[in-house]
Amino acid sequence: MSIFTMVMFLIIIFQGATHLVPVPKLDGEFEKYERPSFSAQDFASGEYQRLLSRFIGYHYGFSEWTIRLYCQYFWSVYHRSPVRQVAVGKNNYLFEPYFVEDLYESRMYKYTTNPEELIQMFDQQSQRLAKVQAILAEAGVHTLVACIPGKTNIYPEFAPPRDTLTRPLGPRAIEVYPPLFDKYGVNYINLNQWFLDIKDTASYDLFPTLGTHWSNVASTFAFDTMLRYMGHISGQPLRPVVLSHLHEETSPRWPDNDLEKLINPLFHIKVNRPYKYVDVDYAPLPPNVRKPKAIVCGDSFFWNITYNFQLDSLFDYCHYWFYNSTIYFDSLFSSTHDSGFDYVDQLLSTDYLILFYCTGQLYDLGINTTDAAGNIITQALVRLCYDPQIIQAQIQQICQTIRGDANWIARLDRKATDRGLSLDQMVEEDARYLLFTRPEDYFPELAAPGIPTVRCSKFRNR
């Protein structure tokens, strides 16, 4: 037994040092711990030993198999998820917890405990979006919102129990926004309602058992519908898409099992229904029809579209502003926060601006409580109407107001220290946040009913 134990430890140490045996990597995000540098001071204090122990604990040989075995034990014995990011429902259906939260409480509590206040926020955002839509329409840019379904909205019967979610059910964004879009004339396509309408008759899964995003096949049909709607609002049909017949496959296509991968079981979780898919082809581009340009600003549900459609076959370009931050499929910028990024140039150069949000993220349609740069609706509204120097002058006026308030400055001083910023940087960041979350307070014309008449010089000179 002693010899066997020693041999096992030697094998583990050898594998950890050489990785001679190829082992599949674990799925998900993991904090990466680097091997600590040796110093006499850290050794004497025990810090080096602590850091080395942590490093070894995450990098020992065959650790992936050990973790998968533990996850399989957790699933098989307790029928529970070993990770917080996955909630287990009925019939092996897996869910992200924030969708479960939205089902039983709504995501209202992320912002407020007052339902009327939330509805007022949504109303204001709808009015702002209607103004942005009208302004961009003057430049030939078509704006629309795609309301994407969420898994608990379509399959509430398979959701996990309510458990600790005890707050009253508040307004849901997917129920509040569509009537407001109708009221203010915002272009939108309610794919959530479409999924509910076809739920009982569809011959394929609208959401996969083991995934959080809409299924590959359902998202493919949905985007084909969305392309037709885009052609309807612009009066310029897009290149027709040709979809194959439904066919079955023995294993899921990515990301139809993305939540299963987060669990990292040793064996695949059984699914009773077959996996069904369609393939996408493209009809020849009709004469006198050009491929349009598009900007999609939204959440991770758009990734399904990028996996199933060749975007360059449909669009001259289709830039994906992931959560209005990281930019994909564009070689010029890596983020909408880059110093060289210009909202006005980007918006006036496209043909479509698409806001693409699932039911759990629709609450964040232009609302961002921590980062004003993440608020695309107010960024677009302010920057399309006013030149940068006017905006900056207003920000400096807000900075003066902040500096005249001792309590405000004291709070920002503590916050600047915590974040490693100078006080001046923190003051300007706070001022910028105020301007782009409450622009009507600083530009009265934006608060008036109707479409603002003021335009920035780039818009006038386009």
Side-chain angles (χ1 to χ4, degrees), residues 19 37 56 249 263 302 387 426 440:
H19 298 286
S37 301
I56 294 173
E249 297 185 11
I263 291 178
F302 190 69
D387 286 329
M426 196 70 248
E440 294 85 359

Side-chain angles (χ1 to χ4, degrees), residues 33 44 50 58 98 115 130 132 179 184-185 217 285 335 339 344 391 399 432 460:
Y33 297 115
R50 186 185 71 81
Y58 281 84
Y98 80 87
V132 170
Y184 296 113
V217 58
L285 197 65
S335 171
S339 57
V344 176
I391 297 170
C399 288
R432 191 174 299 277
R460 296 194 304 270

Side-chain angles (χ1 to χ4, degrees), residues 115-406:
E116 294 303 320
E117 183 179 350
L118 185 78
I119 294 172
Q120 185 178 6
M121 291 166 63
F122 289 168
D123 187 275
Q124 185 176 51
Q125 285 302 99
S126 300
Q127 291 187 61
R128 290 168 174 167
L129 183 55
K131 293 175 182 180
V132 170
Q133 176 180 297
I135 293 171
L136 287 175
E138 297 173 12
V141 180
H142 306 281
T143 306
L144 68 142
V145 180
C147 300
I148 311 302
K151 192 170 183 178
T152 52
N153 241 45
I154 305 304
Y155 294 132
E157 62 271 26
F158 297 120
R162 193 180 183 107
D163 286 343
T164 58
L165 301 173
T166 58
R167 293 175 296 197
L169 177 62
R172 292 196 184 101
I174 190 58
E175 296 165 353
V176 176
Y177 262 128
L180 291 173
F181 293 157
D182 289 331
K183 177 180 178 181
Y184 296 113
V186 174
N187 296 325
Y188 74 101
I189 181 168
N190 193 341
L191 294 171
N192 178 78
Q193 185 59 53
W194 182 50
F195 272 43
L196 289 172
D197 292 342
I198 66 173
K199 173 184 173 181
D200 296 330
T201 57
S203 59
Y204 50 88
D205 286 337
L206 301 179
F207 277 81
T209 304
L210 306 179
T212 188
H213 299 93
W214 47 0
S215 65
N216 260 278
V217 58
S219 62
T220 301
F221 285 130
F223 193 64
D224 177 49
T225 301
M226 184 172 159
L227 291 172
R228 297 167 192 267
Y229 177 67
M230 292 166 63
H232 167 72
I233 64 173
S234 67
Q236 297 291 328
L238 279 74
R239 183 177 186 176
V241 170
V242 180
L243 301 180
S244 71
H245 293 294
L246 273 172
H247 61 274
E248 295 183 6
E249 297 185 11
T250 56
S251 57
R253 295 183 186 180
W254 179 257
D256 279 355
N257 62 335
D258 53 4
L259 291 183
E260 179 196 30
K261 285 185 172 294
L262 286 182
I263 291 178
N264 282 298
L266 198 59
F267 307 108
H268 289 299
I269 299 172
K270 291 184 179 179
V271 174
N272 294 328
R273 298 186 65 178
Y275 298 103
K276 293 186 178 181
Y277 295 100
V278 293
D279 296 317
V280 181
D281 202 356
Y282 308 91
L285 197 65
N288 303 320
V289 173
R290 66 175 182 86
K291 293 191 291 186
K293 304 176 179 68
I295 293 172
V296 177
C297 178
D299 58 38
S300 59
F301 275 63
F302 190 69
W303 282 118
N304 279 63
I305 308 306
T306 69
Y307 300 142
N308 297 321
F309 289 83
Q310 297 174 6
L311 296 180
D312 57 359
S313 295
L314 296 168
F315 301 97
D316 184 46
Y317 69 70
C318 183
H319 296 167
Y320 179 22
W321 296 5
F322 186 51
Y323 286 100
N324 196 30
S325 177
T326 306
I327 301 176
Y328 292 92
F329 318 125
D330 175 24
S331 59
L332 296 178
F333 302 100
S334 60
S335 171
T336 57
H337 305 334
D338 284 358
S339 57
F341 181 81
D342 190 313
Y343 267 95
V344 176
D345 281 344
Q346 293 294 308
L347 294 177
L348 295 183
S349 299
T350 193
D351 296 299
Y352 293 97
L353 171 62
I354 305 167
L355 305 184
F356 198 95
Y357 290 88
C358 69
T359 54
Q361 299 291 348
L362 191 59
Y363 297 81
D364 290 319
L365 181 66
I367 300 173
N368 196 304
T369 56
T370 58
D371 180 11
N375 193 325
I376 185 175
I377 296 175
T378 54
Q379 283 277 352
L381 182 59
V382 172
R383 295 189 183 280
L384 287 169
C385 291
Y386 300 97
D387 286 329
Q389 58 269 28
I390 296 175
I391 297 170
Q392 189 59 33
Q394 189 61 63
I395 289 172
Q396 292 307 313
Q397 287 187 23
I398 302 172
C399 288
Q400 291 180 11
T401 302
I402 294 173
R403 292 189 180 97
D405 188 322

